[in-house]
């Protein structure tokens, strides 16, 4: 079963608009972390934001915020006031508390295109 | 800049050959992870090392192997290469292998093309 699901293969947004990228996850572990990464066309993987399973408040980092709905098992990334440079692939990922290695499991990604 | 260094950036080789990808983790990070990113499989976890010891194995083929050296740099060896091995290979490092709330910091990747 997929642990991380990103249902939007691609999204097109006008510059300066806010955008929400969806992510749902599946785990029975009470301890886990949720992460978002950005991959521009140049290929590097850039860490954006983190949310822990026990965090009471939604994480924010500049223009990025994470809409964490634990009961729904969703962790959507919200980008406010989008910019042309936000065009990239975005990956949602999860680390679970059990299992020793706590590897990062990724979703399939959403390709975001910001139109001028 | 994540602080994780991968070399080379690009590698073009023929089927049947063997290549070595190198990774230097961020200063102070003891844990190194290798991932493969291909168009059809997405980002797949291959293997993890912590302070020189193998900690976890993912979808790593028997033709692939890795190690982490005393200075903490890691190498991923790919042998008997096939066309399907063409992909972007990432190395990532983390300071705390036991914590689920510690992000992985990725290098810029090595793009392998097998012809």
């Amino acid at each position: 079963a997929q642990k991380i699901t990103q249902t939007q293969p691609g999204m097109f947004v006008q510059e300066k608009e806010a955008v929400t990228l969806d992510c749902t996850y599946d785990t029975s572990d009470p301890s886990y972390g949720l992460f978002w990464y950005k991959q521009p066309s140049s290929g590097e993987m850039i860490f954006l934001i983190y949310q822990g399973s026990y965090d009471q408040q939604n994480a924010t980092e500049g223009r990025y915020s994470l809409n964490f709905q634990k009961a729904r098992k969703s962790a959507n990334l919200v980008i406010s006031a989008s910019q042309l440079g936000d065009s990239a692939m975005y990956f949602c990922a999860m680390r679970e508390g059990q299992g020793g290695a706590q590897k990062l499991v990724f979703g399939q990604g959403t390709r975001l295109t910001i139109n001028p | 800049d994540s602080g994780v260094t991968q070399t080379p950036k690009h590698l073009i080789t023929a089927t049947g050959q063997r290549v070595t990808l190198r990774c230097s983790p961020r200063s102070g990070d003891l844990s190194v992870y290798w991932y493969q990113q291909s168009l059809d499989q997405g980002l797949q976890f291959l293997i993890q090392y912590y302070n020189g010891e193998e900690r976890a194995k993912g979808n790593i083929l028997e033709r692939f192997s890795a190690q982490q050296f005393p200075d903490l740099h890691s190498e991923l060896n790919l042998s008997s290469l096939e066309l399907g091995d063409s992909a972007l290979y990432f190395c990532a490092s983390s300071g705390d292998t036991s914590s689920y709330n510690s992000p992985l910091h990725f290098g810029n990747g090595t793009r392998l093309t097998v012809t």
Side-chain angles (χ1 to χ4, degrees), chain B residues 48-59:
Chain B
Q48 182 215 0
Y49 280 83
Y50 176 76
N51 203 20
E53 293 188 2
E54 181 184 305
R55 272 294 179 92
K57 262 186 176 180
N59 302 319

Side-chain angles (χ1 to χ4, degrees), chain B residues 33-85:
Chain B
Y33 301 75
W34 286 97
Y35 280 81
Q36 179 193 56
Q37 185 180 29
S38 58
L39 284 174
D40 55 344
Q41 294 289 323
L43 272 152
Q44 297 290 316
F45 168 70
L46 295 178
I47 197 164
Q48 182 215 0
Y49 280 83
Y50 176 76
N51 203 20
E53 293 188 2
E54 181 184 305
R55 272 294 179 92
K57 262 186 176 180
N59 302 319
I60 188 166
L61 300 172
E62 286 192 9
R63 301 183 285 109
F64 295 1
S65 65
Q67 53 184 325
Q68 186 179 28
F69 295 87
D71 67 352
L72 300 178
H73 91 271
S74 178
E75 293 181 356
L76 179 67
N77 300 297
L78 314 177
S79 62
S80 303
L81 285 167
E82 302 175 358
L83 295 178
D85 297 328

Side-chain angles (χ1 to χ4, degrees), chain A residues 25 27-34 50-55 68 70 94-99 102, chain B residues 98-101:
Chain A
Y25 60 92
T27 182
S28 57
D29 193 329
S31 304
Y32 53 90
L34 297 158
Y50 157 79
Q51 180 84 43
S53 58
Y54 298 109
D55 293 343
F68 181 47
K70 195 169 182 177
M94 177 173 65
R95 286 184 94 173
E96 295 170 293
Q98 295 176 358
Q102 290 91 31
Chain B
S98 63
S99 174
Y100 59 85
N101 59 12

